């Protein structure tokens, strides 16, 4: 076992990075600058960096628009009529789905609302949605508004599972909540990774428990897609939604993603219909009767934003070349290195709120500064002023997320040394 003094050295970080088979991908991204050097950027869980190839993909669309105008819908391999299909197979690979089960469309919360039209069907006997306490506010707002829209009361019919004393949930708490409330639950909506703590969950087991109780099960994968190897089809989840601007590096406000399991491919569940969800074979007949495209594409409403999809193509190409197994292996190594250095060098400063078990977390470590919120803010601002960027989540969490496509052991070491300087100042 390598001792902590060696791990804390430039030589160790440099040799580990030199041996990294994914090191070449760092050069495929624009790294923000801090003076004359690159910033140590650990905020891929909030906004991923720009792939260098994204500009060419966007310019290709702009050139096509300039030269072909409306005919761009029908000409060439990147014609706009079928453009959204160019990302389908790669996206399916990343989330462990069949190509017809995924679609890139809308934004995450819009997709959550649209899919709940079909998958949250409350009754007087089963009115409730079960979710995690402390969810990202957008999810909380969306679910509460859906409960109210159907004429029920969020005070009794939005059930929030509470974490344990350590701030984590674990499968026992989820199982106990489903056992207690399952007879009233119409929908279980759970995150793939909890945004504040970085805790990851066994999606297949949550689906099994929810289905056994008679509920539909869906997931918000905002912090899981592109971070963890997912097997959505095999998990048997009914639906899922996610964004592409975090680990999937597709730009601020990027087009989001959605999954609908193959068993619902030709469902008679209600949906809010739109022209682009109509079967492509007869779409241009302009008939009055909606005939949905089988699969996730049948949930589309409007034609996709081509300029918004272009950066996603660039990012997915990098993911395809790297492969999720290799990315996950490097992620575990980088996050493990960060954890080891924190525990050996900074245990008097930082408390790690994220599970120690690598299987229960992704790239993110959520850190609390010993001494409380005021000290936490002081450290966060010191790091930012010194070219080390994480992000702050109220009331007292600094999130540090080494993204395996572009972060390095040297970045991790730079963070740890910056914290040590702040402590010793």
């Amino acid at each position: 076992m390598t001792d902590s003094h060696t791990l804390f050295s430039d030589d160790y970080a440099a040799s580990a990075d030199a041996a990294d088979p994914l090191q070449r991908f760092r050069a495929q991204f624009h790294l923000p600058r801090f003076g004359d050097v690159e910033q140590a950027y650990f905020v891929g869980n909030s906004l991923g960096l720009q792939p260098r190839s994204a500009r060419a993909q966007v310019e290709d669309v702009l050139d096509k628009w300039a030269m072909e105008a409306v005919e761009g819908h029908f000409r060439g391999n990147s014609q706009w009529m079928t453009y959204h299909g160019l990302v389908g197979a790669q996206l399916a690979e990343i989330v462990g789905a069949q190509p017809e089960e995924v679609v890139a469309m809308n934004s995450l919360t819009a997709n959550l609302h649209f899919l709940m039209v079909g998958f949250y069907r409350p009754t007087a006997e089963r009115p409730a949605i079960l979710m995690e306490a402390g969810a990202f506010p957008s999810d909380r707002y969306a679910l509460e508004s859906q409960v109210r829209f159907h004429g029920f009361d969020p005070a009794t019919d939005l059930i929030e599972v509470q974490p344990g004393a350590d701030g984590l949930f674990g499968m026992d708490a989820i199982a106990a909540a489903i056992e207690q409330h399952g007879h009233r639950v119409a929908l279980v909506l759970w995150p793939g990774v909890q945004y504040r703590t970085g805790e990851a969950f066994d999606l297949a087991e949550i689906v099994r428990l929810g289905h056994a109780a008679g509920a539909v099960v869906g997931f918000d994968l905002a912090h899981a897609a592109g971070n963890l190897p997912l097997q959505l089809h095999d998990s048997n989840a009914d639906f899922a939604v996610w964004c592409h601007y975090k680990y999937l590096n597709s730009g601020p406000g990027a087009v989001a993603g959605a999954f609908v399991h193959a068993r619902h491919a030709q469902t008679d569940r209600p949906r809010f219909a739109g022209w682009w969800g109509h079967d492509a074979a007869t779409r241009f007949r302009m008939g009055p009767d909606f005939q949905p495209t089988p699969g996730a594409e049948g949930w589309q409403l409007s034609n996709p934003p081509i300029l918004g999809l272009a950066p996603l193509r660039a990012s997915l190409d990098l993911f395809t070349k790297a492969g999720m197994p290799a990315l996950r292996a490097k992620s575990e190594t980088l996050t493990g290195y960060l954890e080891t250095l924190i525990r050996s060098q900074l245990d008097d400063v930082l408390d790690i709120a994220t599970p120690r078990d690598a299987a229960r977390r992704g790239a993110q470590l959520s850190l609390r500064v010993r001494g409380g919120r005021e000290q936490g803010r002081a450290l966060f601002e010191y790091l930012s002023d010194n070219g080390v960027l994480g992000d702050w989540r109220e009331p007292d969490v600094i999130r540090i997320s080494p993204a395996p496509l572009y972060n390095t052991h040297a970045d991790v070491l730079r963070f740890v040394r910056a914290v040590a300087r702040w402590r010793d100042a």
Side-chain angles (χ1 to χ4, degrees):
M1 180 179 294
T2 308
D3 63 70
S4 60
H5 178 75
T6 300
L7 292 173
F8 198 51
S9 70
D10 290 320
D11 287 345
Y12 177 85
S15 64
D17 288 333
D20 172 19
L22 300 181
Q23 176 70 3
R24 69 189 188 279
F25 286 97
R26 180 178 173 92
Q28 300 301 312
F29 290 86
H30 290 284
L31 275 295
R33 306 293 296 180
F34 178 75
D36 296 331
V37 299
E38 292 172 342
Q39 189 179 64
Y41 188 85
F42 295 104
V43 204
N45 62 336
S46 186
L47 180 66
L49 295 181
Q50 182 188 136
R52 292 184 179 273
S53 53
R55 185 179 299 273
Q57 292 283 7
V58 172
E59 288 180 346
D60 179 69
V61 174
L62 290 172
D63 289 344
K64 194 174 184 68
W65 181 17
M67 293 183 290
E68 301 177 17
V70 71
E71 293 300 315
H73 285 91
F74 313 107
R75 293 179 178 174
N77 294 329
S78 58
Q79 62 178 271
W80 303 330
M81 278 296 299
T82 55
Y83 196 92
H84 69 278
L86 296 176
V87 303
Q90 291 173 306
L91 203 53
E93 182 70 21
I94 287 174
V95 299
Q98 299 173 357
E100 63 272 17
E101 292 178 318
V102 300
V103 65
M105 64 180 189
N106 305 321
S107 58
L108 187 156
T109 306
N111 286 342
L112 180 57
H113 274 297
F114 286 130
L115 290 179
M116 281 196 289
V117 170
F119 289 103
Y120 173 50
R121 306 301 300 162
T123 65
E125 294 76 24
R126 279 186 180 272
I129 299 176
L130 187 140
M131 64 180 295
E132 97 270 24
F136 192 78
S138 190
D139 282 2
R140 179 68 168 69
Y141 304 155
L143 270 58
E144 178 176 344
S145 68
Q146 286 278 339
V147 170
R148 291 189 187 279
F149 176 78
H150 285 280
F152 296 100
D153 185 357
T156 55
D157 300 325
L158 188 59
I159 300 169
E160 297 179 89
V161 182
Q162 298 296 322
D166 59 359
L168 303 174
F169 292 90
M171 286 306 305
D172 288 346
I174 300 169
I178 292 175
E179 181 178 4
Q180 178 182 356
H181 301 287
H183 64 286
R184 298 187 61 248
V185 172
L187 170 66
V188 176
L189 194 286
W190 205 261
V193 174
Q194 214 286 330
Y195 86 101
R196 183 181 282 111
T197 66
E199 180 182 7
F201 301 97
D202 183 340
L203 305 191
E205 180 61 9
I206 293 172
V207 172
R208 188 191 68 80
L209 292 167
H211 284 177
V216 169
V217 181
F219 294 103
D220 177 347
L221 304 177
H223 288 269
N227 179 13
L228 294 172
L230 300 170
Q231 297 297 329
L232 284 182
H233 178 80
D234 291 345
S235 78
N236 220 25
D238 293 290
F239 72 94
V241 296
W242 61 90
C243 54
H244 291 130
Y245 55 80
K246 300 181 189 297
Y247 293 102
L248 283 157
N249 311 307
S250 298
V255 180
F259 163 90
V260 177
H261 197 279
R263 69 178 176 280
H264 302 300
Q266 302 194 46
T267 183
D268 59 358
R269 288 176 175 272
R271 72 182 86 194
F272 287 163
W275 183 58
W276 211 257
H278 192 283
D279 188 357
T282 59
R283 184 181 299 152
F284 278 88
R285 294 179 187 173
M286 307 297 187
D289 298 323
F290 179 65
Q291 300 172 0
T293 301
E297 289 193 14
W299 296 83
Q300 296 177 105
L301 277 78
S302 303
N303 58 323
I306 306 302
L307 285 166
L309 284 171
L312 177 59
R313 292 187 65 194
S315 179
L316 291 179
D317 284 345
L318 296 176
F319 272 84
T320 297
K321 291 173 183 176
M324 280 305 299
L327 287 168
R328 175 58 174 164
K330 180 180 175 181
S331 179
E332 289 184 353
T333 297
L334 276 182
T335 307
Y337 181 54
L338 174 60
E339 178 187 15
T340 298
L341 288 184
I342 289 173
R343 295 194 187 282
S344 65
Q345 305 295 324
L346 303 174
D347 191 53
D348 59 333
V349 182
L350 298 176
D351 178 51
I352 300 176
T354 307
R356 298 191 68 162
D357 181 0
R360 293 185 59 206
R361 68 187 187 199
Q364 171 182 319
L365 289 188
S366 296
L367 309 173
R368 289 189 173 96
V369 178
R370 302 186 190 280
R373 184 185 184 282
E374 183 176 342
Q375 287 288 88
R377 283 297 305 181
L379 173 57
F380 176 74
E381 291 167 8
Y382 176 87
L383 292 170
S384 299
D385 290 343
N386 285 272
V388 180
L389 194 65
D391 76 347
W392 177 264
R393 285 295 177 264
E394 293 290 352
D396 60 353
V397 169
I398 298 174
R399 303 188 306 176
I400 301 294
S401 301
L405 271 173
Y406 48 77
N407 280 125
T408 64
H409 290 78
D411 289 335
V412 170
L413 185 58
R414 186 172 163 189
F415 163 78
V416 173
R417 285 180 169 169
V419 176
R421 287 196 304 273
W422 175 80
R423 175 195 60 195
D424 298 338

